[in-house]
Amino acid sequence: MKRLHTPHILMAGCLALTALAAHAAAPVGEDSAFRPYAVGNRAVTAQMPFIKNQGQIPNADVRFYSRTFAGTVFVTEEIELVYALPQKNPADAGALWAFRESFLGRKPARAQGDEPSPVRVSHFKGNSAKAWKPQLETYESVDLGELYPGIRVTLKAAANNVEKLFHVSPGGDVDAIDIAIEGVEAISINPRDQLVLTTSLGDIVFTAPVAYQLVDDGGRRPVEVAYVLADNHHYGFSLGEYDHDRELVIDPLLASTYIGGHNPNPPGNYDDDIIHGMVTAGGDVYVAGATQSPDFPVHLGYDETLDSAYPDGFITRLSGDLSTVIASTYIGTEGFDRVTDIALDDTGAIIAIGQGGYGFPLTDGAYNWNGIISAGGGFVARLSADLSTLMGSALVSPGDYPTAVGLGNGGIYFGGGTNNPDFPITPDAYLNTCCQMGAFGIREYNGFAGSLSSDLSTLEAMTYLSGREVSGISVAPDSSVFITDGWDYAVTGYVARFDQGLTTRSARLSYYPGSNSGSSRTYFNDVVAGDDFVVVSGQTYMNDLPATDGAFDTTCGTDGLCDGVGPLVVPRSDGFVAIYSHDLQNTIALTYLGGSDHESIRSVALGASGDIHVTGETISVDFPTVGDGADADCGSDGQCDPAGPGDPPVADGFVARLSADLSQLRYGTYLGGSGEDRPKVITVDDAGCLYTAGYTRSVDFPTTDGAFDRSFNGGTSDAFISQIDAGPGAMIFVDDFETGDMLRWSGN
């Protein structure tokens, strides 16, 4: 059994400061009681330091303050918390609105800075150097002291929220906590157990409280906790029973964070912050996609300005525990730009592909399909590992752009889809024509693939392909190139094997109706090539895929007919994972994966043990889940919809881990909140940590303590990144609140 430390319970409740606006507070008038002056460039980390007032704020009642991206929190001499938030009405730009929390019945106390921060802040105001405050010390947290017998309260400020931590020692009575809120019209508790403050400007939300005990190994043992309301806008907490001998179960969602911003009026209403690519390196994780948010968290990047109201691409580097944005950059023009995939080359640099607008930055000596000016189109770029330098940038295709990238054979392979018959096709290409003219003079789409030299100077190959759009590329150790086609609305997809120069297709596999198939559609969404095998994943509407003996699931859906309820219902796809020989002639293993309704597997990754990890979306209420701590409910109500059974299903994400022979489901979990959630990519780092990323429209997407951003940033969608413990050997991150250290060890 695991023995508890000196018994105490930690209760955390976070205020989502983004409730009123997504931008940092602007200065108010000189006579304002609380003026949040600018404190230099914002540090894009999970922790925002507290600054001690040494005269730089004229109101002597302010003892400490912390400026988050969304507003400022002040700690007064009377142990009051004053939150100054920007108003969201454009007519009131620059104006602030405030409310206050007071701890009633508290013991005498004085706030003290705790955990000194390495950040230093300088305050220069006025023409007299005597009034300047250079190199002010800052603190990671503020200790408010023992406010109630046996109950100590500390504060931490993060990028978009403020966290109050109540440390309840043995003998402490949680019923003594009495917090009054001034400046709001009403307080209530919503169905998600969140504390809602009603104001004339909109609602402000405190997250549901979390209570747990710390155990010997630094982990946490959860305890039931809830808000309790009293008259006159007061609140406190109620605490459930806890068992000192109960075994610890670590939540498998080890780290999860939103990442994004907000554009209140995006032209075309383009979904922003959708992640398309992800790689890991040196314990960090890189993600990429497109954003229309002018306040996206860029930091120390090559380009820190959104060039227009239209989307830019982005690349962001986070720490492996998802607590810190190490570096983040836009990449784009005044037009429409996006990063569709990324890879890591031998030098540690980031290779990015995607769509570039007119005037996309070209570097000297790089390939340009136009040969004269930067007319835009598909791009391939190399950025330094710290994202501060655009090392090279080439334009490889007119108009249409690549959507998948793979490295190998000393070069960069890429592919996508186009209906443009004027691509720069190279001699001896596999196909040199495409895009037949269809109805109403509209050309059909075909896939394309190409390769660029590693220095980005030479287009070594470019060919059209059959199918609709390249969904995955992987280069095998024997130099062969595997390409998948997985566009959701094509007749069907395929996996094919090409030579290094993309001149010869040596093998192709595609499924068509069999004896009892309901549909010919089978889409190959991703591919990973091994020494003598290739793994593919995707979705299928076929009832008779060649599932192998002993596979985890040998039938489509739950009735074997790829439909949701019965044969009169429109067919529903199942996910599938398959392992083939290099010549694509032998099916080594193949399994369906899904429930009674729709699934699609979007990405596949191989673990060091040979196990196969997949991610995608589902609307099946009976998707197979297994493993300690796995989420067994679709959505937040178990029905894959945001409100009730009468609403259309909304996809939840899922993550699954299969044995190397596809005979066992070692781990399976839903991943998402009450809205739409769509994981796009999955990867496993060298230490065995599993990451998945995509986009979410859920305001209650499950984020974790210490994550970079725990608040939905508004608009149509945010990106998310999650780290999952999918079984033995995964690396576990746990924040040790007793030492302040981040512990890391192998979990079983």
Side-chain angles (χ1 to χ4, degrees), residues 678-691:
R678 293 189 182 268
K680 295 287 189 179
V681 288
I682 195 167
T683 190
V684 183
D685 70 10
D686 293 339
C689 292
L690 172 66
Y691 296 88

Side-chain angles (χ1 to χ4, degrees), residues 44-46 259 297-299 316-319 323-328 708:
V44 187
T45 63
I259 181 169
V298 293
H299 174 60
T316 299
R317 180 181 182 181
L318 296 102
S319 58
S323 69
T324 304
V325 170
I326 298 170
S328 184
F708 165 70

